[in-house]
């Protein structure tokens, strides 16, 4: 059944307010804990990163995990909106891209 929607308009996008210093510290602490647990359990973790600030935040978390564990935590962009953090040995991709001939 198809329904017509009348008087429906998209809402204007609102710019998100930046985090305060305290909120930023708490958010990074949560990322450090949650992503660190995921990486410790599975060797890697994926997390959305929609803005440059999100990507900087995740790279910083990877550096903090590297310093905490004494093992390198690598960061890789999976696509435009998601980053992957992983330990050495868990980041090698087994898939190869098809070549054009």
């Amino acid at each position: 059944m198809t329904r017509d929607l009348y008087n429906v308009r998209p809402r204007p996008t609102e710019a998100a307010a930046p985090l305060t210093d305290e909120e930023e510290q708490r958010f990074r602490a949560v990322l450090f804990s949650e992503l660190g647990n995921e990486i410790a359990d599975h060797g890697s973790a994926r997390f959305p990163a929609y803005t440059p600030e999100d990507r900087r935040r995740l790279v910083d978390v990877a550096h903090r995990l590297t310093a905490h564990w004494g093992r390198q935590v690598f960061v890789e962009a999976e696509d435009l909106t998601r980053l992957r953090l992983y330990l050495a040995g868990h980041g090698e991709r087994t898939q190869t891209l098809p070549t054009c001939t």
Side-chain angles (χ1 to χ4, degrees), residues 2 5 13 23 26 29 34 37-38 54 61-62 67-68 72 78 90 94 96 98-99:
T2 303
L5 300 175
T13 58
E23 290 170 334
R26 283 188 286 154
E34 295 297 320
N37 288 338
E38 180 76 14
D54 291 339
V61 168
H68 181 70
Q72 181 69 40
E78 288 193 321
H90 295 277
T94 56
T96 57
T99 57

Side-chain angles (χ1 to χ4, degrees), residues 14-75:
E14 299 174 8
L19 298 177
T20 64
D21 289 339
E22 181 183 343
E23 290 170 334
E24 183 69 30
Q25 288 176 349
R26 283 188 286 154
F27 186 47
R28 288 179 188 238
V30 168
L31 287 175
F32 179 84
S33 174
E34 295 297 320
L35 293 177
N37 288 338
E38 180 76 14
I39 294 168
D41 292 343
H42 303 287
S44 68
R46 292 171 171 82
F47 200 80
Y50 299 108
T51 65
E53 181 57 35
D54 291 339
R55 290 185 275 283
R56 281 191 292 272
R57 191 177 288 128
L58 290 172
V59 168
D60 180 59
V61 168
H63 290 305
R64 287 181 55 206
L65 287 169
T66 296
H68 181 70
W69 288 335
R71 293 184 62 190
Q72 181 69 40
V73 176
F74 297 96
V75 180

